[in-house]
């Protein structure tokens, strides 16, 4: 991956019995593979990350930098 990347990672599990959609080991592997990734961790589950004002502001800032 050579283009700018923003990873928005929800830090709550979908259900009490499940883990994160992007578990820690997968996240660490990804960050090693694509080290220039910008990261935003939000206190939402996977389906709620798009409702976060912080997510919206970060995505707008990320997309308008180019």
């Amino acid at each position: 991956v050579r283009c700018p990347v923003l990873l928005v990672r929800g830090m709550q599990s979908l259900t009490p019995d499940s883990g994160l959609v992007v578990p820690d080991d997968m996240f660490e592997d990804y960050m090693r593979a694509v080290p220039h990734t910008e990261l935003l961790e939000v206190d939402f589950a996977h389906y709620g990350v798009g409702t976060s004002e912080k997510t919206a502001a970060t995505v707008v800032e990320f997309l308008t930098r180019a």
Side-chain angles (χ1 to χ4, degrees):
V1 177
R2 295 187 180 143
C3 65
V5 177
L6 172 64
L7 173 62
V8 180
R9 186 176 185 218
M11 298 307 293
Q12 292 184 6
S13 61
L14 292 175
T15 67
D17 297 331
S18 67
L20 299 176
V21 171
V22 181
D24 290 338
D25 58 339
M26 184 184 297
F27 168 72
E28 291 166 5
D29 289 345
Y30 175 84
M31 291 303 286
R32 276 192 293 278
V34 190
H36 64 277
T37 298
E38 294 182 43
L39 173 65
L40 172 64
E41 293 178 327
V42 292
D43 193 27
F44 287 90
H46 176 75
Y47 296 111
V49 297
T51 65
S52 164
E53 289 182 20
K54 187 173 183 179
T55 298
T58 301
V59 169
V60 167
E61 190 274 329
F62 178 81
L63 292 174
T64 57
R65 258 191 268 142

